Amino acid sequence: MKYLDDIINLKGIGEKTARLFYRLGIHNTEELLLHYPRDYQSFKPPVKIAQAGQNEPVTLELFLPSAFKWKKLRNMWIGTGIGSDGIDAISMTYFNTPYLKSKLVAGSSYLFRGKVKNENGRYHMDQPKIFTWNEYQEMMGQLWPCYGLTAGLSNRMVMKAVEQAIKGYDEKEYLPQDIREEYHLVSRNFAMRQIHFPKDWDSLTEARRRLVFDEFFLFLLSIRKMKEYNKVLNTDYPMIETAWTRRFLDALPYRLTKAQMRVWGEIERDLESGKCMNRLVQGDVGSGKTILAFLALLQTVSNGYQGALMAPTEILATQHFEQLSSMTKQYGLPFKPVLLTGSVSGASKKEIYHQIETGEVNV
């Protein structure tokens, strides 16, 4: 099995099942193995009803004193029954599982697994899973993965697919041995196997540490490469120093701090360097980040280009627009701003697009 083989090449996955995997963004075995479990189940020995917690699944060994009662409501079969552990009784409800009519036999005992609800001493379970003792003993003492699913795709189907894909997984280790030893990191192959089918909680923890390290390391590496690439990447919008920014700074009723002026000097040099700029300005609320953005926009429009200021909310976007519009009037700046938000109507949005395209607005 090759790492990038199509998911449909796995045994038991036909076109119909493959489409369910595609819906989750899983098209090949690599994407399947990177679809990590969202949780894990630990199958502990059965407990008594009164010992069951409210927020975690437990397993109960129950005797059925009578048969389940089934009725059809609209297009859904609903089954209700009572189970006993010899001390307490618990009611159970199943939805749309008429095949259980023949499976749940009065006078027999079964293992039921699910979350127990306790309402004033009355216990209840909805749709608990049913196991025989042999099935359950095979699962006890192990951690079982729980995957993100979509309608029609069961956890067992994903597990079977991962089991096949992991057998052929053998990724070349890219971290040097001394780095792994320094940071106490397990191998990539070990981590990938244990994240899906951990031997125990310690192995799972070690696997997560390695995979989290990889994600951060590769992310930072890509940022570093992007930064190095941008250093030599010529911009399509070369700028020169203009008098607008200096006049604006002189006209302000306050003076920028030394830190603000230092950062503005760095931004200004970047814009005039002829290379692409990719810069993060970080500071507390009220530290003056917005005025630096306005200065960068002023440098942009005074060179004959258009600029855009994006905000995460419409309220903040409106505030920036009003502030920029006010400064434009007060200081006679060359801004021709327009506000474009998600709530703008279709006709108005079309008009704004036209203004942007023709250069009627520049911010």
Side-chain angles (χ1 to χ4, degrees), residues 75-346:
N75 293 322
M76 181 184 292
W77 280 98
I78 300 176
T80 56
I82 300 293
S84 170
D85 64 1
I87 302 173
D88 295 297
I90 184 170
S91 62
M92 292 174 283
T93 304
Y94 284 96
F95 304 93
N96 250 3
T97 51
Y99 59 88
L100 292 179
K101 287 182 183 180
S102 57
K103 185 172 182 177
L104 296 172
V105 180
S108 301
S109 293
Y110 303 89
L111 294 176
F112 294 88
R113 182 174 177 80
K115 292 184 179 180
V116 175
K117 297 177 184 177
N118 182 356
E119 297 176 353
N120 300 320
R122 300 180 67 179
Y123 300 101
H124 182 77
M125 292 175 86
D126 282 329
Q127 211 85 353
K129 293 183 179 178
I130 305 167
F131 297 92
T132 65
W133 259 109
N134 289 338
E135 289 173 335
Y136 198 75
Q137 283 177 329
E138 288 181 9
M139 304 175 78
M140 278 176 58
Q142 299 184 54
L143 292 174
W144 292 84
C146 302
Y147 294 96
L149 304 171
T150 187
L153 190 67
S154 70
N155 197 69
R156 187 168 183 79
M157 291 162 72
V158 179
M159 279 180 59
K160 282 189 171 183
V162 173
E163 282 176 344
Q164 291 183 66
I166 206 78
K167 286 178 183 176
Y169 175 78
D170 186 19
E171 187 176 353
K172 187 176 179 180
E173 180 60 69
Y174 72 91
L175 281 180
Q177 183 68 25
D178 58 336
I179 296 293
R180 284 174 46 204
E181 290 176 357
E182 180 181 355
Y183 293 99
H184 309 289
L185 298 171
V186 298
S187 73
R188 176 82 180 179
N189 283 337
F190 178 87
M192 191 61 78
R193 285 175 167 80
Q194 292 301 308
I195 199 70
H196 288 286
F197 302 110
K199 181 175 64 176
D200 48 42
W201 288 108
D202 288 341
S203 298
L204 174 60
T205 300
E206 291 301 311
R208 289 188 75 254
R209 280 192 73 249
R210 171 59 200 267
L211 295 174
V212 168
F213 177 92
D214 286 352
E215 287 189 15
F216 275 108
F217 176 74
L218 295 173
F219 172 73
L220 292 172
L221 186 64
S222 64
I223 293 294
R224 178 65 177 268
K225 286 180 70 68
M226 188 189 305
K227 189 174 182 180
E228 290 176 353
Y229 176 70
N230 283 344
K231 282 181 180 178
V232 298
L233 185 64
N234 293 324
T235 178
D236 292 331
Y237 306 95
M239 297 187 194
I240 60 172
E241 183 181 3
T242 72
W244 278 105
T245 54
R246 174 51 56 192
R247 286 203 296 262
F248 177 50
L249 287 170
D250 290 342
L252 286 173
Y254 56 87
R255 290 288 172 263
L256 266 60
T257 66
K258 288 183 179 179
Q260 288 173 324
M261 287 302 296
R262 174 176 54 78
V263 174
W264 165 239
E266 293 174 1
I267 294 173
E268 194 175 27
R269 284 194 296 275
D270 275 358
L271 293 174
E272 296 167 12
S273 68
K275 306 296 180 183
C276 289
M277 179 177 73
N278 185 21
R279 178 173 290 275
L280 169 70
V281 178
Q282 183 175 325
D284 293 333
V285 174
S287 62
K289 299 184 294 295
T290 305
I291 195 67
L292 295 177
F294 286 175
L295 281 164
L297 286 170
L298 183 56
Q299 178 91 329
T300 301
V301 300
S302 62
N303 271 271
Y305 303 123
Q306 290 173 308
L309 178 63
M310 297 178 68
T313 67
E314 290 197 8
I315 292 175
L316 189 57
T318 303
Q319 289 174 350
H320 286 329
F321 172 72
E322 291 173 350
Q323 191 177 0
L324 189 65
S325 299
S326 174
M327 284 185 168
T328 299
K329 292 179 182 178
Q330 185 176 356
Y331 300 109
L333 302 176
F335 288 128
K336 292 178 285 184
V338 67
L339 178 64
L340 178 63
T341 68
S343 62
V344 171
S345 66

Side-chain angles (χ1 to χ4, degrees), residues 37-49:
R38 57 176 175 75
D39 199 1
Y40 301 85
Q41 280 196 50
S42 176
F43 289 82
K44 298 176 182 178
V47 298
K48 293 295 184 182
I49 297 172

